[in-house]
């Protein structure tokens, strides 16, 4: 069974492919020849995930899913959250975003945070949502070169390494994205497994 994964983030594609291990096939927007950047104008991960999936479903009529992810920091009342990609400004890159976050948290001893992913799947025209959460802490400096986004400053609960010090397999043992995907796969297996 094939799904279009409505993302332009190739790191997400790599992680999802690693987690799927061949049971279901995904086709990225790039693979599908769809070269658009879908806006994420809403205030919740759910609404942005829905927007991305619905846009691609309307264009293709094919089964698809998207996900939106945010880093929610307790000492910042859940920020950057849904604004994680643009935390340091509309043109900001991951380094800018991490620097801003470390600066905002510099006086804080409460380093608790979580990554939250919401997947919106459109299956035979029906929308379904799956959430995955990974609790952890924010370091005071960056560590590691793997992964993407905020990975160098996030240590998941139960690990001594940041996500950026892990390969994809290790990250998937903890990650928000993998947890949301597992729920989606469980749903698909319950519906289609013979
Ligand atoms: P889409 O095409 O799927 O929308 P995106 O890169 O815009 O890709 P998001 O809006 O979901 O993805 O990402 C919000 C921000 O959170 C962005 O800055 C990412 O780098 C960061 N982020 C998302 N998942 C992450 C992860 O697993 N580890 C670290 N940072 C992550």
């Amino acid at each position: 069974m094939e799904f279009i994964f409505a993302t332009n983030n190739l790191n997400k594609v790599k992680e999802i492919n690693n987690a799927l291990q061949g049971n279901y096939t995904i086709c990225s927007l790039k693979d599908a020849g769809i070269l658009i950047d879908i806006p994420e104008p809403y205030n919740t991960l759910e609404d942005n995930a829905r927007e991305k999936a619905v846009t691609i479903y309307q264009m293709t009529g094919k089964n698809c899913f998207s996900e939106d992810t945010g880093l929610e920091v307790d000492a910042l009342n859940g920020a950057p959250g849904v604004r994680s990609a643009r935390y340091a400004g509309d043109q900001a890159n991951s380094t800018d975003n991490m620097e801003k976050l470390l600066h905002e948290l510099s006086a804080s001893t409460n380093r608790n945070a979580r990554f939250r992913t919401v997947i919106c799947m459109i299956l035979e025209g029906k929308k379904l949502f799956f959430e995955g959460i990974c609790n952890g802490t924010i370091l005071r400096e960056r560590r590691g070169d793997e992964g993407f986004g905020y990975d160098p400053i996030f240590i998941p609960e139960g690990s001594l390494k940041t996500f950026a010090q892990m390969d994809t397999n290790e990250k998937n043992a903890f990650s928000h994205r993998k947890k949301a995907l597992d729920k989606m796969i469980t749903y698909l297996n319950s519906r289609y497994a013979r």
Side-chain angles (χ1 to χ4, degrees), residues 18-148:
N18 173 282
L20 283 174
Q21 296 187 335
N23 292 330
Y24 294 89
T25 312
I26 60 164
C27 170
S28 69
L29 289 183
K30 192 173 169 225
D31 296 336
I34 301 173
L35 305 175
I36 57 168
D37 195 19
I38 306 165
E40 299 175 58
Y42 297 109
N43 289 326
T44 64
L45 299 175
E46 287 78 5
D47 285 344
N48 284 331
R50 182 194 294 108
E51 176 73 16
K52 290 186 265 190
V54 166
T55 301
I56 296 309
Y57 183 70
Q58 285 173 346
M59 285 177 72
T60 64
K62 292 189 176 159
N63 290 333
C64 60
F65 69 97
S66 72
E67 62 100 296
D68 205 30
T69 295
L71 178 60
E72 301 172 344
V73 179
D74 284 358
L76 302 176
N77 299 316
V82 72
R83 292 195 43 82
S84 293
R86 289 152 282 135
Y87 189 45
D90 283 347
Q91 305 303 321
N93 61 26
S94 294
T95 303
D96 302 330
N97 288 333
M98 282 189 286
E99 271 171 18
K100 174 163 181 188
L101 186 61
L102 292 178
H103 178 72
E104 298 287 329
L105 273 185
S106 56
S108 181
T109 51
N110 179 359
R111 315 293 297 184
N112 295 334
R114 72 198 53 76
F115 274 112
R116 193 161 72 87
T117 291
V118 175
I119 289 178
C120 176
M121 172 173 69
I122 304 189
L123 181 67
E124 293 165 13
K126 185 177 159 196
K127 292 186 212 70
L128 295 133
F129 291 85
F130 305 94
E131 181 187 65
I133 290 174
C134 176
N135 292 308
T137 51
I138 305 291
L139 280 180
R140 289 191 176 274
E141 71 290 312
R142 288 184 258 162
R143 266 187 228 156
D145 304 309
E146 303 295 323
F148 67 102

Side-chain angles (χ1 to χ4, degrees), residues 6-18:
T7 183
N8 287 312
N9 184 326
L10 296 181
N11 292 293
K12 288 184 181 179
V13 176
K14 182 176 170 196
E15 290 181 14
I16 295 273
N17 265 327
N18 173 282

Side-chain angles (χ1 to χ4, degrees), residues 154-169:
F154 184 85
I155 299 200
E157 220 167 69
S159 170
L160 295 174
K161 295 190 212 173
T162 67
F163 271 156
Q165 292 173 305
M166 299 180 184
D167 63 23
T168 306
N169 264 329

